[in-house]
Amino acid sequence: MAISSFSLVPESVGCYVFHSNGGAMVQATLYIGTKNASSWAMRAWLALKASGYEFDEELVDIRRPQRFFNLARIGRLAPPASVPVLDTGRTVVYDSLAIMEFANDVSGGKLLPADIEARAEARALAAWQHAGLSAICRRISFESAFYPFKRALSAAEQEQGGKLFAHYEALLNRYGGPFLFGSISLADFMHVPTVLRLLRHDLDLENSPNAREWAKRLLDRPSVREWIDEADRLPHIWYDDYLEGATWPVRVQGDSRA
Protein backbone atom coordinates (compact mmCIF):
# COMPACT_ATOMS: atom_id res chain seq x y z
CA MET A 1 0.00 0.00 0.00
CA ALA A 2 1.41 3.34 -1.04
CA ILE A 3 0.96 6.28 1.33
CA SER A 4 1.26 9.88 0.20
CA SER A 5 0.17 13.33 1.26
CA PHE A 6 -2.57 15.22 -0.51
CA SER A 7 -1.04 17.71 -2.92
CA LEU A 8 -2.80 20.82 -4.11
CA VAL A 9 -2.85 21.00 -7.89
CA PRO A 10 -3.03 24.29 -9.81
CA GLU A 11 -6.51 25.64 -10.41
CA SER A 12 -6.00 25.31 -14.15
CA VAL A 13 -5.78 21.53 -13.91
CA GLY A 14 -9.51 21.31 -13.28
CA CYS A 15 -11.21 18.23 -11.87
CA TYR A 16 -9.18 15.31 -10.60
CA VAL A 17 -8.76 12.36 -12.95
CA PHE A 18 -7.92 9.14 -11.16
CA HIS A 19 -9.67 6.50 -13.23
CA SER A 20 -8.28 3.85 -15.53
CA ASN A 21 -7.45 4.71 -19.09
CA GLY A 22 -8.07 2.26 -21.88
CA GLY A 23 -9.08 -0.53 -19.52
CA ALA A 24 -5.80 -0.59 -17.59
CA MET A 25 -6.02 -1.59 -13.95
CA VAL A 26 -5.70 1.26 -11.48
CA GLN A 27 -4.98 0.83 -7.77
CA ALA A 28 -7.82 2.07 -5.58
CA THR A 29 -7.15 5.15 -3.45
CA LEU A 30 -8.62 5.95 -0.06
CA TYR A 31 -8.53 9.64 0.88
CA ILE A 32 -8.28 10.03 4.63
CA GLY A 33 -7.92 12.98 6.97
CA THR A 34 -5.25 13.84 9.52
CA LYS A 35 -5.02 10.75 11.71
CA ASN A 36 -5.55 12.42 15.08
CA ALA A 37 -8.64 14.22 13.77
CA SER A 38 -10.31 11.97 11.19
CA SER A 39 -12.37 9.42 13.12
CA TRP A 40 -14.69 8.71 10.19
CA ALA A 41 -11.77 7.94 7.90
CA MET A 42 -10.34 5.66 10.59
CA ARG A 43 -13.52 3.60 10.53
CA ALA A 44 -13.49 3.14 6.76
CA TRP A 45 -9.74 2.44 6.74
CA LEU A 46 -10.08 -0.27 9.39
CA ALA A 47 -12.89 -2.01 7.50
CA LEU A 48 -10.97 -1.98 4.22
CA LYS A 49 -7.88 -3.32 5.98
CA ALA A 50 -9.91 -6.17 7.48
CA SER A 51 -11.47 -7.00 4.10
CA GLY A 52 -8.12 -7.56 2.42
CA TYR A 53 -8.96 -5.00 -0.26
CA GLU A 54 -5.82 -3.38 -1.67
CA PHE A 55 -5.68 0.39 -1.79
CA ASP A 56 -3.30 3.31 -1.75
CA GLU A 57 -3.67 5.85 1.02
CA GLU A 58 -3.83 9.57 0.34
CA LEU A 59 -3.59 11.81 3.40
CA VAL A 60 -5.60 15.04 3.32
CA ASP A 61 -4.57 17.65 5.89
CA ILE A 62 -7.82 18.69 7.60
CA ARG A 63 -6.27 20.93 10.22
CA ARG A 64 -7.28 24.59 10.18
CA PRO A 65 -6.93 26.71 8.14
CA GLN A 66 -5.77 24.44 5.28
CA ARG A 67 -8.74 22.11 5.75
CA PHE A 68 -11.07 24.51 3.93
CA PHE A 69 -9.00 24.61 0.76
CA ASN A 70 -8.11 20.92 0.84
CA LEU A 71 -11.68 19.76 1.37
CA ALA A 72 -12.91 22.11 -1.34
CA ARG A 73 -10.55 20.31 -3.70
CA ILE A 74 -11.85 16.95 -2.50
CA GLY A 75 -15.28 18.30 -3.43
CA ARG A 76 -14.22 18.05 -7.07
CA LEU A 77 -13.98 14.30 -6.58
CA ALA A 78 -16.92 13.71 -4.22
CA PRO A 79 -19.97 15.99 -3.69
CA PRO A 80 -19.85 16.09 0.15
CA ALA A 81 -16.33 17.60 0.06
CA SER A 82 -15.29 15.55 3.07
CA VAL A 83 -13.21 12.51 3.90
CA PRO A 84 -13.12 9.56 3.67
CA VAL A 85 -13.48 9.03 -0.05
CA LEU A 86 -12.68 5.79 -1.84
CA ASP A 87 -11.81 5.97 -5.54
CA THR A 88 -11.84 2.39 -6.82
CA GLY A 89 -10.66 3.34 -10.31
CA ARG A 90 -14.17 2.68 -11.61
CA THR A 91 -16.32 4.66 -9.22
CA VAL A 92 -16.10 6.99 -6.24
CA VAL A 93 -17.58 5.91 -2.91
CA TYR A 94 -18.02 8.66 -0.34
CA ASP A 95 -19.34 8.39 3.21
CA SER A 96 -17.68 6.14 5.78
CA LEU A 97 -20.61 3.75 6.20
CA ALA A 98 -20.92 3.20 2.45
CA ILE A 99 -17.20 2.45 2.24
CA MET A 100 -17.52 0.01 5.14
CA GLU A 101 -20.42 -1.76 3.43
CA PHE A 102 -18.26 -1.95 0.31
CA ALA A 103 -15.50 -3.53 2.41
CA ASN A 104 -17.98 -6.14 3.63
CA ASP A 105 -19.06 -6.88 0.06
CA VAL A 106 -15.52 -7.32 -1.29
CA SER A 107 -14.70 -9.60 1.66
CA GLY A 108 -17.55 -11.91 0.67
CA GLY A 109 -19.76 -10.76 3.53
CA LYS A 110 -17.31 -11.72 6.28
CA LEU A 111 -17.59 -8.39 8.11
CA LEU A 112 -21.25 -8.80 9.07
CA PRO A 113 -22.95 -11.71 10.86
CA ALA A 114 -24.32 -14.53 8.71
CA ASP A 115 -27.61 -14.65 10.62
CA ILE A 116 -30.07 -12.20 9.07
CA GLU A 117 -31.34 -10.79 12.39
CA ALA A 118 -27.88 -10.49 13.92
CA ARG A 119 -26.77 -8.79 10.71
CA ALA A 120 -29.62 -6.30 11.00
CA GLU A 121 -28.69 -5.60 14.63
CA ALA A 122 -25.03 -5.09 13.70
CA ARG A 123 -26.07 -2.66 10.98
CA ALA A 124 -28.31 -0.86 13.46
CA LEU A 125 -25.40 -0.43 15.87
CA ALA A 126 -23.18 0.91 13.08
CA ALA A 127 -25.95 3.23 11.91
CA TRP A 128 -26.47 4.51 15.47
CA GLN A 129 -22.87 5.69 15.56
CA HIS A 130 -23.25 7.19 12.11
CA ALA A 131 -26.52 8.92 12.96
CA GLY A 132 -25.56 10.73 16.15
CA LEU A 133 -23.79 8.65 18.78
CA SER A 134 -20.75 10.90 18.24
CA ALA A 135 -22.62 13.45 20.40
CA ILE A 136 -22.01 11.28 23.47
CA CYS A 137 -19.51 13.05 25.74
CA ARG A 138 -19.39 15.76 23.08
CA ARG A 139 -16.48 17.68 24.63
CA ILE A 140 -14.36 14.52 24.73
CA SER A 141 -13.53 14.77 21.04
CA PHE A 142 -11.59 12.24 18.98
CA GLU A 143 -8.73 14.76 18.95
CA SER A 144 -8.64 14.76 22.74
CA ALA A 145 -7.81 11.05 22.80
CA PHE A 146 -4.31 12.06 21.71
CA TYR A 147 -3.76 14.96 24.10
CA PRO A 148 -0.72 14.62 26.38
CA PHE A 149 -2.84 15.83 29.31
CA LYS A 150 -6.31 14.47 30.05
CA ARG A 151 -9.00 15.99 32.21
CA ALA A 152 -11.27 13.82 34.32
CA LEU A 153 -14.65 12.86 32.93
CA SER A 154 -17.57 14.69 34.51
CA ALA A 155 -20.29 12.74 36.32
CA ALA A 156 -22.58 13.23 33.31
CA GLU A 157 -19.90 11.95 30.93
CA GLN A 158 -19.27 8.91 33.14
CA GLU A 159 -23.01 8.19 33.08
CA GLN A 160 -23.26 8.54 29.29
CA GLY A 161 -20.23 6.36 28.69
CA GLY A 162 -21.40 3.81 31.24
CA LYS A 163 -24.76 3.39 29.50
CA LEU A 164 -23.05 2.83 26.16
CA PHE A 165 -20.69 0.22 27.59
CA ALA A 166 -23.63 -1.49 29.31
CA HIS A 167 -25.09 -1.98 25.82
CA TYR A 168 -21.79 -3.41 24.59
CA GLU A 169 -21.79 -5.72 27.62
CA ALA A 170 -25.27 -6.98 26.76
CA LEU A 171 -24.26 -7.72 23.16
CA LEU A 172 -21.15 -9.59 24.25
CA ASN A 173 -23.20 -11.66 26.67
CA ARG A 174 -25.83 -12.39 24.03
CA TYR A 175 -23.46 -13.35 21.19
CA GLY A 176 -20.68 -14.83 23.30
CA GLY A 177 -17.80 -12.62 22.15
CA PRO A 178 -14.97 -12.17 21.61
CA PHE A 179 -16.38 -9.28 19.56
CA LEU A 180 -19.80 -7.67 19.65
CA PHE A 181 -21.43 -10.19 17.30
CA GLY A 182 -19.04 -13.07 17.77
CA SER A 183 -16.57 -12.48 14.96
CA ILE A 184 -15.14 -9.05 14.20
CA SER A 185 -17.63 -6.96 12.24
CA LEU A 186 -18.35 -3.51 10.88
CA ALA A 187 -20.08 -2.74 14.18
CA ASP A 188 -16.81 -3.17 16.09
CA PHE A 189 -14.85 -1.03 13.64
CA MET A 190 -17.49 1.69 13.62
CA HIS A 191 -17.17 2.08 17.39
CA VAL A 192 -13.36 2.07 17.66
CA PRO A 193 -12.97 5.89 17.84
CA THR A 194 -15.67 6.20 20.51
CA VAL A 195 -14.08 3.41 22.54
CA LEU A 196 -10.67 5.02 22.19
CA ARG A 197 -11.69 8.47 23.39
CA LEU A 198 -13.60 7.10 26.38
CA LEU A 199 -10.97 4.59 27.48
CA ARG A 200 -8.19 7.15 27.23
CA HIS A 201 -10.21 9.30 29.63
CA ASP A 202 -10.48 6.51 32.20
CA LEU A 203 -14.16 5.69 31.86
CA ASP A 204 -15.22 3.59 34.85
CA LEU A 205 -15.91 0.08 33.47
CA GLU A 206 -16.24 -1.80 36.75
CA ASN A 207 -19.79 -2.80 35.85
CA SER A 208 -18.92 -3.87 32.30
CA PRO A 209 -16.03 -6.34 32.64
CA ASN A 210 -16.64 -8.14 29.35
CA ALA A 211 -16.93 -4.86 27.48
CA ARG A 212 -13.69 -3.68 29.09
CA GLU A 213 -11.87 -6.76 27.78
CA TRP A 214 -13.53 -6.41 24.38
CA ALA A 215 -12.39 -2.79 24.16
CA LYS A 216 -8.80 -3.71 25.00
CA ARG A 217 -8.90 -6.55 22.48
CA LEU A 218 -10.25 -4.19 19.84
CA LEU A 219 -7.64 -1.48 20.46
CA ASP A 220 -4.86 -4.07 20.41
CA ARG A 221 -5.63 -5.20 16.86
CA PRO A 222 -2.56 -4.51 14.68
CA SER A 223 -4.44 -2.25 12.26
CA VAL A 224 -5.97 -0.22 15.10
CA ARG A 225 -2.59 0.11 16.80
CA GLU A 226 -1.01 1.23 13.53
CA TRP A 227 -3.47 4.13 13.18
CA ILE A 228 -3.24 5.09 16.87
CA ASP A 229 0.56 5.00 16.93
CA GLU A 230 0.75 7.32 13.92
CA ALA A 231 -1.86 9.66 15.41
CA ASP A 232 0.03 9.83 18.72
CA ARG A 233 3.06 11.26 16.93
CA LEU A 234 1.20 14.16 15.32
CA PRO A 235 0.91 17.74 16.65
CA HIS A 236 -2.07 18.05 18.96
CA ILE A 237 -5.27 19.75 17.84
CA TRP A 238 -6.67 21.59 20.86
CA TYR A 239 -10.24 22.76 21.40
CA ASP A 240 -10.93 25.72 23.65
CA ASP A 241 -13.79 24.11 25.57
CA TYR A 242 -11.94 20.91 26.45
CA LEU A 243 -10.67 22.10 29.84
CA GLU A 244 -13.72 24.15 30.84
CA GLY A 245 -14.59 23.18 34.41
CA ALA A 246 -11.83 20.58 34.52
CA THR A 247 -10.42 19.42 37.82
CA TRP A 248 -6.69 20.06 38.17
CA PRO A 249 -4.18 18.61 38.02
CA VAL A 250 -5.08 16.78 34.84
CA ARG A 251 -3.62 13.37 34.09
CA VAL A 252 -0.59 12.92 31.85
CA GLN A 253 -1.49 10.55 29.03
CA GLY A 254 1.34 8.13 29.75
CA ASP A 255 -0.12 7.40 33.19
CA SER A 256 -2.93 5.32 31.72
CA ARG A 257 -2.90 4.78 28.04
CA ALA A 258 -4.98 2.57 25.76
Side-chain angles (χ1 to χ4, degrees):
M1 179 186 71
I3 302 175
S4 58
S5 295
F6 185 67
S7 58
L8 301 177
V9 297
E11 191 68 30
S12 60
V13 171
C15 293
Y16 299 116
V17 180
F18 299 109
H19 296 263
S20 58
N21 188 7
M25 293 296 293
V26 174
Q27 179 86 339
T29 300
L30 179 69
Y31 294 84
I32 64 172
T34 311
K35 287 193 172 181
N36 62 345
S38 191
S39 62
W40 293 108
M42 183 186 191
R43 295 171 168 105
W45 185 88
L46 289 172
L48 287 172
K49 283 280 193 178
S51 75
Y53 184 73
E54 294 186 3
F55 61 94
D56 290 333
E57 182 180 318
E58 188 83 13
L59 181 63
V60 181
D61 190 347
I62 60 171
R63 294 171 298 170
R64 295 172 183 266
Q66 57 267 39
R67 68 175 283 119
F68 303 109
F69 188 81
N70 287 346
L71 291 179
R73 303 297 296 205
I74 286 291
R76 295 178 174 227
L77 177 63
S82 62
V83 288
V85 174
L86 176 66
D87 184 350
T88 70
R90 295 177 56 193
T91 191
V92 173
V93 185
Y94 46 88
D95 183 88
S96 56
L97 188 54
I99 295 171
M100 295 176 79
E101 287 280 0
F102 175 83
N104 178 62
D105 289 342
V106 299
S107 75
K110 295 179 181 179
L111 297 180
L112 283 172
D115 178 79
I116 188 169
E117 293 195 8
R119 189 161 66 247
E121 189 173 9
R123 281 193 165 114
L125 188 63
W128 181 27
Q129 176 70 74
H130 196 259
L133 185 59
S134 294
I136 188 171
C137 301
R138 180 187 59 79
R139 287 171 51 209
I140 305 299
S141 67
F142 183 64
E143 291 86 346
S144 73
F146 306 100
Y147 290 171
F149 302 98
K150 302 287 198 303
R151 69 167 176 81
L153 294 177
S154 68
E157 289 165 341
Q158 285 282 3
E159 182 180 5
Q160 291 173 36
K163 287 181 178 178
L164 176 60
F165 268 78
H167 185 60
Y168 295 150
E169 185 83 3
L171 288 171
L172 291 162
N173 291 336
R174 177 179 177 185
Y175 290 101
F179 295 99
L180 293 175
F181 294 90
S183 300
I184 193 76
S185 74
L186 299 185
D188 298 283
F189 293 130
M190 182 61 91
H191 285 253
V192 167
T194 297
V195 168
L196 176 64
R197 62 192 178 95
L198 293 177
L199 259 63
R200 282 198 162 183
H201 282 83
D202 290 341
L203 178 68
D204 183 0
L205 296 178
E206 182 178 357
N207 295 325
S208 300
N210 293 326
R212 179 178 61 238
E213 293 306 310
W214 159 77
K216 292 179 179 178
R217 189 179 303 117
L218 191 60
L219 297 183
D220 280 341
R221 285 182 65 86
S223 59
V224 177
R225 282 256 61 100
E226 179 183 343
W227 183 289
I228 291 173
D229 289 345
E230 291 183 23
D232 274 329
R233 293 193 291 268
L234 295 174
H236 308 296
I237 302 171
W238 291 93
Y239 286 99
D240 292 340
D241 69 345
Y242 174 70
L243 292 176
E244 286 182 9
T247 301
W248 291 86
V250 293
R251 177 175 58 79
V252 176
Q253 177 170 296
D255 293 347
S256 177
R257 184 164 167 175

